[in-house]
Amino acid sequence: GSGFSVVKITILALALIPALVVLSTFYQTNSLNELGERELAEENERMEEEAKQIESSVISHPILAIPDEENLDSITEESSSGTPIPPGSSAHFEKVRRNVGSEPMDGDWLLNCPDLPPPNYPKAYPAMDVINNWGPDRPNPVPPKHYHALCRFDYKKDLKKALTYRDAEVPFILFNVPQAEEVVKKWAEPGYLEKLSGNKQSYKTEVSHNNHFMYFSGGGAKGKGKKAWRPPTGSEQMTFKDFKKAALSCEARNCSADEKHYYFRITAPKMGHFMFDELPFYKPKRSSIFLKDPKGQRGIHCRFGMQGVIAENHYDGSRNIIGVFGGRRRYILAHPNQCKNMYLFPMGHPSGRHSGDACNFDPACKDSANSVDWSNPDLEKYPKFKDLQVNEVLLSAGDFMYLPTHWFHYIISVGLNYQCNTRSGRDDTYVKDVSKCGFK
């Protein structure tokens, strides 16, 4: 009867006490694990739950998003019938690999990097080899191979390892992030970004008479002769809809480097801006793989590129996490110790810490001090450039790249693409390198 049931329950409870003690001890011991392990569990649980909310959507532009699941079999078959599937590859990576559209020069995607960054990571190559293989002014067609050298970490499997590389202040790629893939799908929906940005809302958009864009500070034209300087780019007010129309038109006719190009941007200076809700992983709530120092964040910066747009070589004075949510972007990277081969403009120049044509080929500046044009380097005028060592990264929709303070990057838009980055404080690991070139 009921009395007998109570006795059985009591005996069972007493029998479970030792097991509970063991479990409690196990929990207490494991609660002392390092931050990376706790973050791995917490973020995986949170993002897996959010991933369940992702709805299927219509893809309006074939290269803006990772292929749908139903295409996976054909992708795997293509890989197995051509280039061998890389060791450590996953079904998800095979989709990413197809979207990247170019293989590593040495065949290694670096999917199985060691727990600690190896000496001389990442591998570097002569800049002229990289440029001759794929000219910056010729984004298409994409070559069959490129000089890939960064570890690719799967967010779901390798987060702890990625945190180790981040804390070692070396660059790497992170992929297979559920929240990011949700953004990729939404941003590929017809009309979604137009509505998000405000259908009739115009934004200050950078414009160039060609495909070259270089940051500058200060006002308008200055000086004459050897002291001449002219702003390398201008600006126009433009809606996202009009930008996208111009970008797709450029892509359809494979526009030339000498045509007018636009570089659309949306900046979210602080919490409360719609981009923080759209990209919740960039919210400065706590330390994460996306924000090492949340207090050091200075907003979200989104840049929307069209085919051929080049952001000239430069470094940033803080840590940078760069996410691509549509299309492809090519980055040529260089260690800070390579600054001596770059002919950088000094601090105090309107484009200090950059290299590239100072006035974007304005004839008024023909006699003024200048720097090397990476898309067509004059090795007689800038002989040290031939000694420059670099590597390159081709990011596709859903990829993130961690870029430490002072690492140089030269950016090329392969086609229409959507990129948003955020910064999180400064690290001084490489100050000793850039200080030799007059920077800090």
Side-chain angles (χ1 to χ4, degrees):
S2 60
F4 182 67
S5 297
V6 170
V7 171
K8 287 198 295 183
I9 292 171
T10 301
I11 293 172
L12 180 60
L14 290 171
L16 286 172
I17 287 175
L20 291 172
V21 170
V22 171
L23 285 172
S24 176
T25 302
F26 177 81
Y27 175 81
Q28 291 174 9
T29 300
N30 281 272
S31 68
L32 298 177
N33 284 348
E34 62 186 53
L35 173 62
E37 294 183 357
R38 294 201 304 272
E39 183 176 33
L40 174 63
E42 291 172 4
E43 292 214 21
N44 276 345
E45 181 179 356
R46 174 168 57 84
M47 289 197 172
E48 286 286 358
E49 180 61 31
E50 289 170 344
K52 296 177 182 177
Q53 308 300 320
I54 298 175
E55 300 290 340
S56 60
S57 58
V58 178
I59 304 301
S60 62
H61 191 278
I63 202 62
L64 292 182
I66 294 169
D68 293 330
E69 290 291 342
E70 59 263 28
N71 297 325
L72 179 57
D73 290 341
S74 62
I75 293 170
T76 305
E77 289 170 6
E78 278 189 22
S79 300
S80 60
S81 63
T83 307
I85 295 175
S89 181
S90 63
H92 183 92
F93 176 71
E94 284 306 302
K95 294 186 294 182
V96 175
R97 184 186 188 191
R98 176 171 173 175
N99 211 28
V100 168
S102 177
E103 295 290 314
M105 191 63 68
D106 62 2
D108 190 354
W109 281 103
L110 299 175
L111 295 171
N112 290 305
C113 285
D115 291 340
L116 297 174
N120 301 317
Y121 169 87
K123 187 176 180 179
Y125 304 87
M128 291 308 302
D129 287 356
V130 174
I131 291 169
N132 288 333
N133 177 63
W134 190 2
D137 281 336
R138 302 186 305 276
N140 285 293
V142 175
K145 292 185 177 183
H146 64 290
Y147 286 88
H148 174 82
L150 296 194
C151 292
R152 267 191 168 271
F153 296 127
D154 186 324
Y155 177 87
K156 293 183 178 180
K157 301 188 302 180
D158 303 319
L159 181 57
K160 182 179 177 182
K161 194 182 293 186
L163 286 165
T164 300
Y165 278 59
R166 192 274 311 273
D167 292 344
E169 296 297 342
V170 292
F172 61 86
I173 301 169
L174 189 70
F175 71 102
N176 200 16
V177 180
Q179 276 189 315
E181 295 202 26
E182 180 180 2
V183 174
V184 170
K185 289 187 176 184
K186 287 192 300 182
W187 285 21
E189 293 174 8
Y192 183 87
L193 279 173
E194 288 84 345
K195 183 178 179 181
L196 179 69
S197 61
N199 286 304
K200 297 182 179 180
Q201 176 68 44
S202 62
Y203 295 81
K204 185 177 180 181
T205 303
E206 295 171 71
V207 59
S208 174
H209 66 88
N210 56 24
N211 64 325
H212 289 256
F213 291 78
M214 182 159 60
Y215 169 84
F216 67 94
S217 60
K222 300 176 183 178
K224 295 180 179 179
K226 293 183 178 180
K227 295 184 177 180
W229 177 81
R230 301 293 183 268
T233 59
S235 65
E236 295 180 12
Q237 291 294 124
M238 178 177 275
T239 64
F240 176 79
K241 181 179 180 180
D242 288 341
F243 162 75
K244 185 176 180 181
K245 181 178 179 181
L248 291 178
S249 173
C250 166
E251 209 164 313
R253 66 179 188 280
N254 195 23
C255 61
S256 74
D258 295 326
E259 294 184 44
K260 188 177 183 179
H261 281 70
Y262 298 97
Y263 205 8
F264 188 84
R265 62 183 181 181
I266 296 177
T267 300
K270 59 183 179 180
M271 290 282 284
H273 190 281
F274 65 80
M275 273 299 177
F276 277 94
D277 290 328
E278 192 68 15
L279 307 173
F281 35 82
Y282 284 164
K283 288 183 177 180
K285 291 184 175 180
R286 61 188 177 86
S287 179
S288 72
I289 190 64
F290 305 104
L291 288 166
K292 181 172 183 177
D293 177 12
K295 293 181 180 179
Q297 191 200 46
R298 296 295 181 266
I300 298 173
H301 305 272
C302 295
R303 300 290 181 265
F304 302 80
M306 60 191 291
Q307 176 177 299
V309 162
I310 288 174
E312 302 286 7
N313 172 61
H314 66 284
Y315 74 79
D316 295 319
S318 53
R319 303 180 186 93
N320 214 343
I321 187 79
I322 300 161
V324 173
F325 305 107
R328 290 177 291 179
R329 278 199 173 210
R330 177 190 177 199
Y331 290 77
I332 299 179
L333 306 179
H335 191 287
N337 64 17
Q338 292 298 301
C339 64
K340 61 185 180 295
N341 299 318
M342 295 179 178
Y343 298 91
L344 298 161
F345 293 116
M347 297 308 292
H349 186 280
S351 296
R353 68 186 165 83
H354 288 67
S355 54
D357 194 274
C359 305
N360 201 1
F361 309 102
D362 190 311
C365 301
K366 63 183 179 64
D367 296 322
S368 57
N370 212 337
S371 181
V372 60
D373 170 20
W374 285 38
S375 66
N376 186 26
D378 183 339
L379 298 182
E380 289 188 8
K381 192 173 182 180
Y382 304 105
K384 291 182 181 179
F385 191 81
K386 68 178 183 299
D387 298 323
L388 178 63
Q389 297 287 306
V390 304
N391 56 60
E392 66 185 324
V393 173
L394 187 51
L395 300 181
S396 66
D399 283 338
F400 291 87
M401 178 172 66
Y402 178 72
L403 202 61
T405 308
H406 294 128
W407 269 75
F408 290 94
H409 45 297
Y410 177 88
I411 313 167
I412 306 106
S413 289
V414 178
L416 174 62
N417 65 86
Y418 313 144
Q419 172 258 309
C420 296
N421 66 287
T422 193
R423 298 171 186 169
S424 59
R426 173 188 170 95
D427 179 83
D428 290 335
T429 299
Y430 300 103
V431 167
K432 62 182 183 298
D433 294 307
V434 296
S435 65
K436 295 176 183 178
C437 298
F439 302 96
K440 58 182 181 180

